[in-house]
Amino acid sequence: MHKPIISTLLLSLTLVGAMPLVTATAQASVINVQRPTQGQLGQVQVNPYGYAPLTAIIDLAGKTISDVKVTVKGKGKDGVDISYPVGHSQLLTYNGVPVFGLYANYQNQVALSYTLAGKSVKETYQIFTQPLQGISVDGAVSAFPSIKPVKVAKGFEQRLYWINHLIGDQNSASVHWRNGGALEWDRWPLNFVTDTQGEVRWYLDPYKIHDQNDIAKRGILMGVHQMDNGDVIFLQGQRYYRMDLLGRMVFERWLPKGYIDMSHDMKALKNGHYLLRAAKKDYVRDDGQVVNTVRDQILEVDEFGRLVDVWDLTKILDPLRDALMQALDPRSVCLNVDLKAKRAALEPNNAAFGDIMGVGVGRNWAHVNSIEYNSDDDTIIVSLRHQGVVKIGRDKQVKWILAPSKGWHEPLAAKVLTPVDAAGNKLDCNENGVCSNSDFDYSYAQHSAYLIPQKGTLSVFDNGDGRGLMQPMFVTEKYSRGVEYKIDENKLTVQQTWQFGKHHGYDWYSPVTSITKYQPDTDTMMMFFATPKLLEKALTTPRLVEVKYGTQQVEVELHMTATAKQQASYRAIVIHPELAFAN
């Protein structure tokens, strides 16, 4: 038997310029790689996890550093600096310094300060990024909307906003479930973060997260919220996600078996559970027909994805109530519904099942578009676009209903809130919700309802279609607004305490989507009027504002313009990078 021949190969290759010097010794099986660095730390990796092209990691190169602060310098004299501290656990997680807020197609200047071996170090890293990669849309120069700052008050210059933008499906082929449902509801996601100068400083690669030909990646990316630790959560069709701001996917999970079609909203709870807005697959109706329901199930899953509770709204509320749907403009439901189809859908024995506005289980009778949780009494508050705002307990009993009284039957009719003035006096309101001698108004076709625990009130974005359960003589009479209500649950009364947007009239009227959300760090109400001009089939012109709480004082106002008619926006949220990286 021949003894093995051991040979030693020593290969030294020296390349010119900044190319690495590589030394390989086969006998020792060791490869030493030396790469060029810009400072005392290691190599810079752009888009380290593949999802967020405007992020980077500066490798630690085996060093131990502390007291880290990152500043991505603004572009030009009006550019916005993005600064945040980096905590010990984040340095360990990334094995480097996380860089968030880079400009696209630009040689970014990133100032980095830290302590190394007891000495203070200050360095500047240059990080080049590729151009923005959006969705190809016919006739559009860029899929990213243009953003113009109209007002940015002192102290708000560093504000960052995540824009949940949507691009029309360029594939005309439609995919359906067998028994109805909303599988065909699909848009390309264009989610990005803008600064107050209208510059894109982060975006989610749409081709990584969405694929219209894959059921696992179909749907509309919605329900974006930032967690207390800086992670973001969102859902899309059949899966829900948690990700950090560098694009590191914490999890991507399928819906529990037996449920389908998530959209609009999800809510993270303090105990690690999540509330998801979904639909029931193969629901057996009272008449024996098997259907997929549409936007009417609230699921609670634990931290491991196990289903622990369900609010089946088909059993809690009345799927046959049509008071608001009779008054809505069908063009305002994000669906291709003509008037003839609308009338048929409101006759429960005549209509087809599926994602159509209509009464009865198996149709879009509820259209739940936001979920809130009240830990004080273990209840949920849901915004149902086609019904109103409703609070429901863990016992599945309705606590109150914020909607005009028309169409509610007992026992639910007893839960409809009574409008009052500031002194607690009952207002003179008819069953359609029209109140005499008062500026009180209900929300109609609303798209968000969130608690303001610091104030003891509820914020709502009132889209305004079907106001007074009717259509106005002229469409230009319509308006949208942010509104705040104070609810007395013992007396079952509601008082309107504030509103903003009515004065902007039809120019800001947003028939669908949008959000109102209180911002505790600045004591402001952030509102995103997401779809002005949508009904004109023109370029939509979203408006984002922050208003000092309880006033009409505008602190931030950004005007957006879509770049193609196939585009619309869903929501916006304020993003805080310090939450993501400081710990």
Side-chain angles (χ1 to χ4, degrees):
M1 187 173 183
H2 296 286
K3 293 183 179 180
I5 299 175
I6 301 177
S7 62
T8 301
L9 173 63
L10 179 62
L11 173 63
S12 296
L13 176 62
T14 303
L15 302 180
V16 297
M19 296 300 289
L21 174 65
V22 181
T23 302
T25 305
Q27 185 178 19
S29 300
V30 173
I31 301 178
N32 296 317
V33 181
Q34 299 175 3
R35 295 185 175 91
T37 60
Q38 301 182 48
Q40 297 187 50
L41 301 183
Q43 188 182 26
V44 175
Q45 182 183 4
V46 177
N47 193 13
Y49 297 102
Y51 284 92
L54 300 185
T55 65
I57 292 175
I58 302 173
D59 190 82
L60 292 177
K63 295 181 173 66
T64 300
I65 62 175
S66 60
D67 307 317
V68 181
K69 183 179 180 181
V70 174
T71 300
V72 180
K73 305 299 289 184
K75 184 194 298 183
K77 64 181 182 67
D78 295 323
V80 175
D81 289 354
I82 295 179
S83 298
Y84 52 88
V86 180
H88 179 66
S89 67
Q90 300 306 308
L91 295 173
L92 295 177
T93 297
Y94 302 118
N95 191 39
V97 178
V99 180
F100 166 90
L102 300 170
Y103 292 93
N105 196 27
Y106 186 68
Q107 185 78 295
N108 291 269
Q109 306 297 310
V110 180
L112 179 62
S113 63
Y114 56 91
T115 299
L116 175 63
K119 295 182 179 180
S120 178
V121 179
K122 293 185 178 181
E123 299 171 334
T124 298
Y125 286 75
Q126 297 186 9
I127 303 177
F128 185 79
T129 53
Q130 296 298 311
L132 295 174
Q133 182 181 13
I135 306 298
S136 177
V137 180
D138 292 342
V141 176
S142 169
F144 288 82
S146 63
I147 302 176
K148 176 184 177 182
V150 174
K151 180 179 181 180
V152 181
K154 185 177 181 180
F156 288 82
E157 297 91 345
Q158 271 66 46
R159 214 62 158 158
L160 299 171
Y161 302 97
W162 178 305
I163 307 297
N164 189 178
H165 199 59
L166 308 172
I167 308 295
D169 194 335
Q170 301 303 295
N171 186 348
S172 60
S174 188
V175 180
H176 300 266
W177 296 119
R178 181 182 58 186
N179 297 323
L183 181 61
E184 67 271 25
W185 210 51
D186 181 81
R187 299 289 187 277
W188 279 96
L190 194 61
N191 287 262
F192 63 95
V193 173
T194 180
D195 63 22
T196 53
Q197 290 299 307
E199 294 277 2
V200 175
R201 305 297 293 271
W202 183 98
Y203 75 100
L204 178 62
D205 186 339
Y207 294 97
K208 290 282 290 187
I209 203 71
H210 184 271
D211 184 348
Q212 60 194 7
N213 298 313
D214 182 351
I215 288 179
K217 290 188 173 183
R218 276 185 67 87
I220 302 183
L221 194 156
M222 291 174 151
V224 180
H225 295 278
Q226 188 173 26
M227 307 280 286
D228 290 342
N229 76 334
D231 289 353
V232 289
I233 56 173
F234 54 89
L235 41 72
Q236 178 182 247
Q238 314 314 312
R239 297 203 286 188
Y240 61 103
Y241 302 78
R242 180 168 177 165
M243 183 184 72
D244 71 18
L245 288 183
L246 253 62
R248 183 180 65 90
M249 197 62 69
V250 179
F251 66 67
E252 46 184 318
R253 293 175 179 162
W254 285 86
L255 266 167
K257 188 173 178 60
Y259 293 90
I260 55 174
D261 301 342
M262 285 183 293
S263 64
H264 287 87
D265 209 6
M266 67 182 293
K267 174 74 175 181
L269 306 184
K270 295 294 185 181
N271 63 356
H273 292 195
Y274 299 90
L275 298 176
L276 311 172
R277 207 301 332 278
K280 184 72 180 80
K281 180 174 173 56
D282 296 336
Y283 181 105
V284 181
R285 289 167 39 111
D286 290 342
D287 59 9
Q289 296 188 78
V290 178
V291 299
N292 296 328
T293 72
V294 180
R295 303 186 184 94
D296 55 15
Q297 306 286 311
I298 308 300
L299 313 182
E300 181 179 358
V301 295
D302 68 13
E303 62 270 40
F304 306 109
R306 297 176 299 200
L307 184 61
V308 298
D309 207 350
V310 178
W311 286 259
D312 181 351
L313 300 183
T314 69
K315 291 179 168 53
I316 298 171
L317 298 173
D318 181 6
L320 296 181
R321 180 178 180 266
D322 64 357
L324 178 59
M325 284 184 282
Q326 290 280 8
L328 290 178
D329 181 343
R331 298 175 301 165
S332 299
V333 195
C334 305
L335 300 172
N336 295 319
V337 180
D338 58 27
L339 290 175
K340 182 177 179 181
K342 174 190 172 185
R343 295 189 186 100
L346 293 175
E347 298 294 332
N349 295 323
N350 298 331
F353 297 112
D355 195 2
I356 55 176
M357 183 175 66
V359 296
V361 180
R363 303 184 186 96
N364 192 13
W365 67 274
H367 199 108
V368 176
N369 52 36
S370 78
I371 314 168
E372 178 64 291
Y373 177 74
N374 189 343
S375 59
D376 292 341
D377 54 6
D378 195 23
T379 58
I380 64 170
I381 297 172
V382 289
S383 165
L384 302 94
R385 185 182 189 274
H386 297 160
Q387 302 296 330
V389 181
V390 182
K391 181 174 183 177
I392 307 169
R394 177 72 66 178
D395 57 4
K396 312 306 182 289
Q397 298 299 306
V398 172
K399 307 306 178 184
W400 51 252
I401 298 171
L402 177 56
S405 62
K406 184 177 181 179
W408 295 105
H409 304 293
E410 294 297 342
L412 295 176
K415 300 298 184 180
V416 176
L417 297 171
T418 298
V420 297
D421 63 18
N425 301 310
K426 181 180 177 180
L427 299 177
D428 181 15
C429 306
N430 64 25
E431 67 172 0
N432 287 1
V434 179
C435 301
S436 303
N437 303 316
S438 173
D439 64 354
F440 178 92
D441 205 354
Y442 288 95
S443 60
Y444 296 86
Q446 75 287 326
H447 265 78
S448 69
Y450 295 121
L451 292 171
I452 309 178
Q454 298 86 344
K455 313 292 183 180
T457 56
L458 178 76
S459 68
V460 176
F461 189 92
D462 173 16
N463 294 80
D465 189 34
R467 191 175 300 282
L469 301 185
M470 61 178 290
Q471 287 292 313
M473 181 173 293
F474 301 104
V475 68
T476 52
E477 296 177 36
K478 295 184 177 184
Y479 61 89
S480 300
R481 63 186 185 138
V483 59
E484 180 188 32
Y485 297 107
K486 187 171 185 176
I487 295 170
D488 186 322
E489 297 193 6
N490 294 321
K491 297 179 180 179
L492 286 180
T493 60
V494 57
Q495 174 196 351
Q496 178 179 300
T497 57
W498 171 88
Q499 64 174 324
F500 178 90
K502 182 177 180 179
H503 63 290
H504 284 295
Y506 191 67
D507 285 345
W508 285 30
Y509 172 61
S510 296
V512 295
T513 66
S514 310
I515 188 173
T516 301
K517 194 75 182 291
Y518 176 71
Q519 305 300 315
D521 62 321
T522 51
D523 193 31
T524 54
M525 292 286 245
M526 191 279 293
M527 289 159 283
F528 187 49
F529 295 73
T531 51
K533 294 187 170 56
L534 179 69
L535 298 187
E536 282 68 49
K537 297 184 178 180
L539 299 179
T540 56
T541 55
R543 302 293 187 246
L544 189 152
V545 291
E546 286 200 59
V547 177
K548 198 66 179 173
Y549 177 78
T551 75
Q552 303 296 300
Q553 179 180 322
V554 176
E555 305 287 7
V556 177
E557 182 172 337
L558 303 180
H559 288 191
M560 294 172 50
T561 303
T563 53
K565 296 178 181 179
Q566 300 97 320
Q567 297 183 27
S569 288
Y570 179 56
R571 283 183 183 171
I573 63 170
V574 176
I575 283 291
H576 299 278
E578 68 278 6
L579 294 179
F581 305 118
N583 295 323

